[in-house]
Amino acid sequence: MAATCEISNVFSNYFSTMYSPEEPALASVPTAATFGAEDLVLTLSNPQMPLEGPEKASWSGKQPQFWSKAQVLDWISYQVEKNKYDASSIDFSRCDMDGATLCNCAPEELRLVFGPLGDQLYSQLWDLTSSFPDELSWIIELLEKDSMAFQETLGPFDQGSPFSQEVLEEGRQASSYFPGSYGTGAPSPGSSDVSTAGTGTSQSPHSSDSGGSDVDLDLTDSKLFSRDGFPDYKKGDPKHGKRKRGRPRKLSKESRECLEGKRSKHAPRGTHLWEFIRDILLHPELNEGLMKWENRQEGVFKFLRSEAVAQLWGQKKRNNSMTYEKLSRAMRYYYKREILERVDGRRLVYKFGKNSSGWKEEEVAGSRN
DNA sequence: TATATATTTCCTGATT
DNA sequence: TAATCAGGAAATATAT
């Protein structure tokens, strides 16, 4: 839990520094410059938001994790009204909590306080948190999830054992995915850093399929960290035989719900791969070490830690078997569509093409105004 | 429901 | 030799 709070703080800090403090109402609303017009539209069309009427609710447009106590109350009132629930049966003295606390409530706790409305609130909360489109929310989510999974995993182990120490140490090293987010002034990563993006779902170290390897992200045995119920295929694994071509089938709805817990029915489809890449490049403070611009004006960029980026992409797509080799295949398809241009003779280097957008400095600056 | 689009996966061969 | 690139083929997921 401490890790969760720290992570939230880190990103809260990020948000508050990223957006003008003079405009608190906008503080948590991603700008088009940051997340792209598409994402902005998603935000505005979020069905969970009470957009009708001239006044937007105070909590609207803000991630539940960052709601204040007043905003939590506001949201509860909204839900009570929306569901035409008898508010007299609610013990409002127990509603004195901020968004982070609310998000940490189990459905039983909510049921205890809100009665039958508790389930509805829990479900709405899930929808809200998971439908948030900004590109950081999924990182936050995955950091928090990994953090808990990691702690649960370590639980039964002797924390002082060389094994767990080693895992922790490796985790710390790999957490430099986003060293900027833990930069000076930011809270020490402490326990949270071991759970950093990409850690939990790294591919099998035995996979010969992996193309790259600037950094081996595999912190642990995949069995320890397998998540989401994704089949952990291994190329040439005699147990499983040769895998069929193509994208693996999704698990059945039931299996997924069982493995993931209750989640939004409409997980945001989110960005395309090239947009994901672009967004990483546009946030050097968060992606330090993952990718870099070779020539910003020309749109030329380079993967510094190809496998790490692939893992992050896999996390975003909830696919823990993503590798740089596969990601690069998808990137190569962009050549035909002129979203990317070839950069001959240079490994791990790509260039944005004429059908890509939102990466030019003028565009970024323009849409920020 | 059918179709188009966007990947994802596997593969072989070439290049660095 | 390993990593990466290139691109064909086939498969699935999702949007329309």
Side-chain angles (χ1 to χ4, degrees):
Chain A
M1 181 56 83
T4 301
C5 292
E6 281 182 19
I7 292 161
S8 299
N9 286 340
V10 166
F11 284 96
S12 298
N13 290 342
Y14 169 73
F15 275 112
S16 50
T17 50
M18 195 157 173
Y19 304 106
S20 163
E22 285 81 41
E23 296 174 55
L26 297 174
S28 61
V29 181
T31 61
T34 314
F35 306 121
E38 224 178 320
D39 285 335
L40 193 64
V41 170
L42 275 170
T43 310
L44 296 174
S45 60
N46 188 333
Q48 306 305 318
M49 302 294 182
L51 292 176
E52 61 278 2
E55 288 176 67
K56 273 175 83 173
S58 61
W59 48 268
S60 149
K62 198 170 182 179
Q63 292 197 57
Q65 291 94 328
F66 302 130
W67 288 348
S68 64
K69 288 178 179 180
Q71 286 169 326
V72 167
L73 277 172
D74 198 16
W75 177 73
I76 291 168
S77 308
Y78 168 75
Q79 290 295 336
V80 165
E81 207 169 311
K82 186 178 139 197
N83 292 285
K84 310 223 178 317
Y85 189 75
D86 178 14
S88 62
S89 55
I90 296 175
D91 179 3
F92 277 93
S93 66
R94 297 176 70 176
C95 300
D96 184 36
M97 59 177 110
D98 59 17
T101 314
L102 178 69
C103 290
N104 285 326
C105 283
E108 307 79 58
E109 294 175 86
L110 290 176
R111 217 173 294 133
L112 211 67
V113 179
F114 302 102
L117 185 64
D119 287 327
Q120 174 71 15
L121 292 182
Y122 184 80
S123 157
Q124 290 294 311
L125 205 56
W126 252 117
D127 280 358
L128 264 179
T129 49
S130 56
S131 66
F132 238 89
D134 71 77
E135 100 278 31
L136 287 175
S137 62
W138 68 271
I139 295 175
I140 293 168
E141 199 179 306
L142 108 90
L143 285 171
E144 292 180 348
K145 205 168 150 192
D146 274 352
S147 173
M148 288 193 294
F150 189 79
Q151 280 167 6
E152 278 167 20
T153 307
L154 282 185
F157 290 96
D158 174 7
Q159 301 269 335
S161 75
F163 173 75
S164 53
Q165 281 300 329
E166 191 181 324
V167 170
L168 278 163
E169 203 46 53
E170 286 183 33
R172 261 183 211 112
Q173 281 160 20
S175 74
S176 55
Y177 272 159
F178 295 102
S181 63
Y182 298 129
T184 49
S188 157
S191 56
S192 67
D193 63 351
V194 296
S195 59
T196 315
T199 58
T201 56
S202 31
Q203 72 183 95
S204 161
H206 316 298
S207 168
S208 58
D209 202 19
S210 164
S213 338
D214 306 294
V215 167
D216 186 356
L217 288 166
D218 242 311
L219 304 183
T220 67
D221 187 318
S222 61
K223 277 178 233 111
L224 280 174
F225 283 85
S226 74
R227 293 182 2 195
D228 299 337
F230 284 97
D232 192 17
Y233 297 103
K234 290 181 176 72
K235 198 175 173 182
D237 183 343
K239 268 190 205 161
H240 297 93
K242 216 171 215 179
R243 195 174 161 177
K244 267 175 134 185
R245 279 185 173 179
R247 183 183 289 196
R249 279 176 181 278
K250 266 196 164 180
L251 292 170
S252 69
K253 195 176 162 231
E254 292 76 22
S255 319
R256 267 179 290 152
E257 276 179 4
C258 173
L259 286 158
E260 296 176 11
K262 195 173 181 190
R263 284 204 61 106
S264 167
K265 314 169 268 295
H266 40 79
R269 186 162 186 266
T271 51
H272 293 149
L273 172 59
W274 72 269
E275 293 170 307
F276 168 79
I277 296 297
R278 177 199 64 193
D279 289 343
I280 288 178
L281 284 161
L282 291 179
H283 293 288
E285 71 278 22
L286 288 182
N287 88 77
E288 205 181 330
L290 284 182
M291 304 177 73
K292 69 165 186 178
W293 289 107
E294 289 267 291
N295 184 331
R296 181 70 204 268
Q297 279 70 40
E298 297 285 316
V300 181
F301 59 91
K302 182 177 185 177
F303 283 82
L304 297 176
R305 295 158 69 191
S306 54
E307 210 58 38
V309 176
Q311 289 293 317
L312 270 181
W313 174 241
Q315 297 273 325
K316 185 167 173 62
K317 300 296 288 286
R318 309 184 69 76
N319 172 1
N320 70 350
S321 59
M322 180 51 62
T323 63
Y324 176 71
E325 192 177 338
K326 294 171 189 170
L327 182 149
S328 65
R329 180 70 191 97
M331 297 280 280
R332 289 195 294 274
Y333 271 121
Y334 286 144
Y335 294 148
K336 223 172 191 175
R337 295 161 59 197
E338 298 187 282
I339 288 168
L340 292 178
E341 285 177 28
R342 267 197 195 83
V343 177
D344 290 325
R346 303 211 50 203
R347 289 182 163 210
L348 302 170
V349 177
Y350 298 81
K351 180 182 178 185
F352 283 116
K354 62 180 181 188
N355 290 335
S356 61
S357 61
W359 55 268
K360 294 188 187 90
E361 281 175 306
E362 313 90 76
E363 288 180 89
V364 173
S367 49
R368 265 187 187 141
N369 296 330

